[in-house]
Amino acid sequence: MAETQPPHNWEVGQYVWYRFKGFPWWPGKIVDANDKTLQPPILPEVFKQKPKGEGGKLILSMGDYRYLWRTGADLCAFKEKYSVHSKICMKKKQGREGVVDTLQDLDWQSNPDYLPPSEQGSEEEKEMESDKEGGDKKQTKKTRGKKEKTEEGGEEKSTQKKKERVSKKEKKTNGGEEEEDKGEKEKKKRASKKKKK
């Protein structure tokens, strides 16, 4: 069942959770559409997306820092709904960054997820370092971006497939050399069958 929000007077500068249908709630900040000093600047196409009628609020999405319009039904107060929405949002890297940035902007130091600005960089460095250390060890599959790590060695299957496609194209364009490649393939097949026996 859809969660309904009580009527609220949303003000510029207020931190909120916003949503799109089918996506988790995300942290954002209500901004003034007429403020020419906003960074990043508002692109003209954002104004074309403004909903008709009153009630549309311009939101700076935290973590990915883009602008979008949302109405009151798709907004809720950041602090009031933090425990409900933060767990799901923080599963994604950009969501985690957005939540941490919002906590810093609010200076909500009593929150367990709060990281002082100096520690946020070191947290990211630790994450990158742990990724480097696991390079030769067995890797887990990552399905985002259609990239999967192989069992050992860390070479990406997508890169390996690209190399195979390129070599196939080269064989087709080389004409006469293709016959020699077929003979080599047969030799390799026979050799692998002998090893299996």
Side-chain angles (χ1 to χ4, degrees), residues 15-141:
Y15 287 91
V16 295
W17 291 101
Y18 73 89
R19 69 174 170 189
F20 280 111
K21 188 176 182 177
F23 291 93
W25 288 85
W26 203 266
K29 180 180 180 181
I30 298 174
V31 296
D32 181 3
N34 299 317
D35 186 353
K36 304 291 183 206
T37 62
L38 287 174
Q39 290 299 323
I42 303 171
L43 300 174
E45 52 265 19
V46 172
F47 290 103
K48 294 176 186 173
Q49 298 167 355
K50 183 176 181 178
K52 294 181 180 174
E54 292 186 34
K57 299 291 181 187
L58 184 61
I59 308 293
L60 172 62
S61 179
M62 303 300 283
D64 57 3
Y65 301 98
R66 59 188 172 96
Y67 295 99
L68 49 104
W69 295 92
R70 296 283 83 197
T71 59
D74 294 323
L75 299 173
C76 63
F78 183 80
K79 281 190 172 184
E80 290 173 15
K81 296 291 184 174
Y82 183 83
S83 62
V84 177
H85 301 309
S86 63
K87 291 175 186 157
I88 296 170
C89 182
M90 288 182 70
K91 289 181 180 180
K92 297 181 182 259
K93 184 179 178 184
Q94 279 186 332
R96 188 170 49 253
E97 289 171 0
V99 169
V100 168
D101 287 352
T102 304
L103 293 173
Q104 289 172 354
D105 287 356
L106 290 170
D107 200 25
W108 192 2
Q109 295 181 14
S110 62
N111 187 297
D113 295 324
Y114 177 84
L115 286 175
S118 61
E119 289 184 26
Q120 184 180 5
S122 63
E123 189 72 24
E124 290 171 1
E125 288 170 9
K126 286 178 190 174
E127 198 174 293
M128 288 173 58
E129 204 169 289
S130 68
D131 288 347
K132 287 179 185 176
E133 289 173 1
D136 293 334
K137 297 176 184 175
K138 287 189 176 185
Q139 301 289 321
T140 56
K141 287 188 176 183

